[in-house]
Amino acid sequence: MYGVSVTRKYKVLFLCRENSARSIIAEALLRELAGHRFDAFSAGPEPAARVHPFAVAQLRPGISDLGVLSPKSWLEFTGEWAPRMDLVIALDESVDARHAPAFPGEPPSCVWSFADPLAGHMAEPERARLFDKVFWQIVRQVSAFIELPQYATPASTTASAAVVSAAIASPHRATTCDA
């Protein structure tokens, strides 16, 4: 007998202070590379007015829907109505679990630390090079994350927390998350 497999996607929230560059890039890449298995979101405590133009420039060549990207407050993900995340990934330590608000369901969290391409004073060509470097670091991290065997099969509602926890606890990667 043929049937339709009913599965749900893993929900991943990327956090960054202004939610205008690193977290937006991570959200867009996860959605583009594995949107059939993941729902990706991004937010921050001090959202910028718009996505940074250098982030848009990095994403434009390969991301099909840039229109859905916008800086958001992480408070949009804290209420009863908010989607329940399976994993929260901070892209710098200033927004890690010690600093972030409580999210519904208390999802596991981890840190993927990348340099802030918006920090400090630098000339535009230097900033563009830093954006390029950080972009490719995030590409590698997201690619490794979606290739983890734990995410090869869709999550069941009862097993997803255990699978995500196992992914975080694995010690063979340099980051606090297993990717």
Side-chain angles (χ1 to χ4, degrees), residues 14-19 42-47 72-75 95:
F14 294 100
L15 301 178
C16 223
R17 173 111 356 243
E18 294 182 1
N19 185 223
S42 67
E46 302 167 10
K72 294 168 284 307
S73 170
W74 60 12
L75 296 178
V95 293

Side-chain angles (χ1 to χ4, degrees), residues 58-108:
Q58 289 290 335
L59 294 169
R60 182 166 282 123
I63 302 300
S64 57
D65 193 3
L66 291 174
V68 301
L69 301 174
S70 67
K72 294 168 284 307
S73 170
W74 60 12
L75 296 178
E76 291 183 30
F77 297 91
T78 60
E80 293 175 16
W81 62 91
R84 290 195 181 271
M85 297 299 146
D86 294 297
L87 180 62
V88 175
I89 301 174
L91 298 181
D92 69 60
E93 293 179 6
S94 72
V95 293
D96 67 8
R98 295 170 296 172
H99 303 99
F103 295 105
E106 299 181 16

